[in-house]
Amino acid sequence: QVQLVESGGGLVQPGGSLRLSCAASGFSLHYLGIGWFRQAPGKEREGVSCISSSDESTLYVDSVKDRFTISRDIAKNTVYLQMNNLKPEDSGVYYCAARHGSGHGCFIYDWEYEYWGQGIQVTVSS
């Protein structure tokens, strides 16, 4: 029902910025909560940020607070993750995920999401 395609990843130097995009199709963001997750080699997948479908409530993992910003463009049915002051430990594969019905508040638990993008690589290195 829902397809998610990530874009905007790549290689960036420490302290640099990158903006990831998650283009959703099959369902409007009016009815989808979106989460961003990441996984580094040899480590468990962790929730990074999320945004709710109705009130645009947001949540961030402590390690990215004040550096990352999640937002959405309803007209484009796209969610963004602006990543500033990137650190090497931010490197990994980033995944966009979606769930139905998260109208007021959101979660960064992976089991709450049923639709997933293929992931996109982010590498922070000099």
Side-chain angles (χ1 to χ4, degrees):
Q1 299 181 56
V2 177
Q3 291 184 315
L4 306 170
V5 179
E6 302 99 334
S7 62
L11 175 66
V12 66
Q13 295 186 30
S17 297
L18 213 56
R19 189 179 76 161
L20 303 182
S21 297
C22 174
S25 61
F27 243 87
S28 171
L29 291 179
H30 282 301
Y31 310 108
L32 295 173
I34 302 294
W36 284 100
F37 297 81
R38 67 186 181 188
Q39 188 168 26
K43 296 186 178 181
E44 295 184 354
R45 183 169 57 202
E46 67 170 343
V48 176
S49 184
C50 62
I51 185 167
S52 62
S53 59
S54 294
D55 64 0
E56 294 190 273
S57 295
T58 59
L59 187 66
Y60 301 90
V61 68
D62 286 346
S63 61
V64 308
K65 287 181 179 178
D66 302 320
R67 297 191 298 119
F68 290 13
T69 302
I70 190 169
S71 62
R72 68 179 187 178
D73 186 328
I74 295 294
K76 296 181 179 179
N77 223 44
T78 299
V79 173
Y80 305 97
L81 184 67
Q82 179 67 46
M83 305 185 294
N84 297 325
N85 192 25
L86 284 161
K87 304 175 181 180
E89 50 264 44
D90 293 318
S91 298
V93 177
Y94 282 68
Y95 298 90
C96 175
R99 66 187 301 273
H100 293 288
S102 56
H104 306 280
C106 65
F107 307 93
I108 50 173
Y109 305 117
D110 56 6
W111 63 84
E112 293 282 355
Y113 294 85
E114 60 186 308
Y115 306 107
W116 292 80
Q118 295 188 99
I120 190 165
Q121 181 69 43
V122 171
T123 303
V124 185
S125 177
S126 59

